[in-house]
Amino acid sequence: MDISGIRIIAYTNQDVSDICKILQDEFLIDKGNSGNKADMLATDKVGYLSVHYVLQLSKKRLELVEYKEYENLKCEVQVRTLLQHAWAEIEHDKNYKFAGVLPNEIKRRFYLVAGALELMDYEFDKLSKDIDEYAKKTEKALSKGDFNLSINSKSLEQYMLKRFEGTTNIRPFVEGPIISEEIIAEVIKFGYKTIQDLEIDLNKYESIFQNHVATFIGVLRDLMIIKDCEKYFKVAYNGNWQGVNKRSVDLWKENGANKIDKYLNDFGICIED
């Protein structure tokens, strides 16, 4: 029945569930020949895990002329996580070398590894959900004006998006991050501990950024250099950027960064037109 087949590798169990729902919605499933391998294992057993579907095109698709010739044909789709895939490939390869029969001691260790990978899959799922939940809580707190949040990638990202919502001159890098690990390290080294600390200074220097075209990362860097140029370069600068446009340098000078030329020269930072 499986004249063709594909395997879909996902990151988490939740991704597997989402993919399976799409397959169930879009195709006719041969339930008698499909199933979740986890359902076939006894509660005290571990081993091969994957969701297998034997499916065919739905009636709705078969109404389209280009699909008509595939009526009554079936294919197999396997959906599994990355860790489940790693286990399946290793087990298949090693079992093949032993013609399908492994010594009991090695076989037991194989199943111990399978159990460990299954636990890791569950933990990755929980971590993924916890990160999403934290992002939602952070967004909710910021929308209520609660800025008493420690600085991390999620809180800073949500804050900057909220802070400059609706503006066209402040934006993320093209196809790049809103906030990077490097800028978070700089902000913390500079002395900012909470989002509230940033909010106070951004309010203080707000007029500077009204017409200045920059990225979210650029705004944070501009803020630190304008507030205390010497402190930024001696304490926070970590060599992550080696070039700057002249427009930004002019902005820094106009707002009190009088020693900027010295620091740009000391750290070999190029000024680009």
Side-chain angles (χ1 to χ4, degrees):
M1 287 185 292
D2 53 347
I3 61 167
S4 67
I6 64 169
R7 179 175 297 139
I8 303 172
I9 311 298
Y11 286 118
T12 66
N13 284 310
Q14 183 58 54
D15 292 337
V16 169
S17 296
D18 293 341
I19 292 165
C20 288
K21 186 179 184 308
I22 293 171
L23 292 172
Q24 291 166 10
D25 289 344
E26 295 295 326
F27 297 92
L28 290 177
I29 306 296
D30 181 346
K31 294 182 179 179
N33 291 292
S34 303
N36 188 338
K37 296 298 180 182
D39 297 336
M40 301 174 192
L41 284 175
T43 55
D44 61 342
K45 301 293 183 183
V46 292
Y48 175 74
L49 296 175
S50 185
V51 182
H52 288 211
Y53 288 113
V54 173
L55 51 79
Q56 60 192 104
L57 295 173
S58 65
K59 291 180 181 179
K60 186 176 180 180
R61 279 188 193 277
L62 289 172
E63 289 173 0
L64 301 173
V65 175
E66 61 266 34
Y67 290 127
K68 202 68 180 172
E69 62 181 301
Y70 302 111
E71 189 170 9
N72 298 321
L73 295 181
K74 296 181 179 181
C75 71
E76 181 181 7
V77 177
Q78 298 176 2
V79 190
R80 60 175 68 147
T81 67
L82 190 59
L83 291 179
Q84 289 168 354
H85 179 64
W87 156 256
E89 291 298 294
I90 293 170
E91 183 192 41
H92 178 271
D93 179 61
K94 299 304 179 186
N95 270 338
Y96 179 78
K97 289 182 179 179
F98 280 82
V101 179
L102 286 168
N104 287 338
E105 180 195 352
I106 296 178
K107 189 183 292 186
R108 175 172 170 74
R109 286 164 58 195
F110 252 94
Y111 285 116
L112 285 172
V113 171
L117 291 176
E118 189 173 341
L119 283 173
M120 288 172 66
D121 255 340
Y122 283 121
E123 187 57 29
F124 277 133
D125 253 7
K126 189 174 185 305
L127 281 170
S128 179
K129 289 174 183 175
D130 287 348
I131 291 169
D132 290 342
E133 186 62 29
Y134 177 77
K136 288 177 184 177
K137 286 182 179 179
T138 300
E139 185 178 4
K140 188 175 181 180
L142 292 172
S143 66
K144 291 181 177 180
D146 179 8
F147 300 119
N148 190 29
L149 302 167
S150 60
I151 291 174
N152 55 55
S153 58
K154 287 298 177 185
S155 63
L156 191 53
E157 177 181 297
Q158 293 293 331
Y159 168 69
M160 294 300 284
L161 287 171
K162 198 75 178 172
R163 184 69 172 67
F164 295 99
E165 188 177 18
T167 63
T168 56
N169 58 311
I170 310 296
R171 51 185 179 266
F173 280 109
V174 177
E175 297 182 359
I178 295 170
I179 294 298
S180 66
E181 290 183 19
E182 291 78 14
I183 194 64
I184 292 172
E186 288 184 18
V187 165
I188 292 173
K189 282 183 180 179
F190 189 80
Y192 291 112
K193 295 181 179 179
T194 67
I195 297 297
Q196 181 66 47
D197 297 336
L198 279 172
E199 174 69 4
I200 291 169
D201 279 353
L202 278 173
N203 281 336
K204 181 179 178 181
Y205 297 101
E206 187 166 15
S207 60
I208 295 173
F209 301 109
Q210 286 179 351
N211 299 310
H212 179 49
V213 178
T215 63
F216 294 117
I217 292 172
V219 166
L220 292 168
R221 197 163 280 148
D222 291 338
L223 175 66
M224 291 184 283
I225 291 173
I226 290 169
K227 182 177 180 180
D228 192 330
C229 178
E230 183 176 4
K231 182 180 180 181
Y232 173 78
F233 281 101
K234 287 188 175 181
V235 177
Y237 178 69
N238 50 23
N240 281 297
W241 55 282
Q242 291 293 321
V244 61
N245 62 61
K246 187 176 182 300
R247 186 178 65 249
S248 291
V249 177
D250 291 341
L251 180 81
W252 299 338
K253 288 180 178 178
E254 290 167 8
N255 291 280
N258 300 320
K259 295 182 179 180
I260 190 62
D261 287 330
K262 174 185 181 305
Y263 290 114
L264 294 178
N265 183 64
D266 287 350
F267 288 98
I269 299 171
C270 302
I271 301 175
E272 304 163 356
D273 290 330

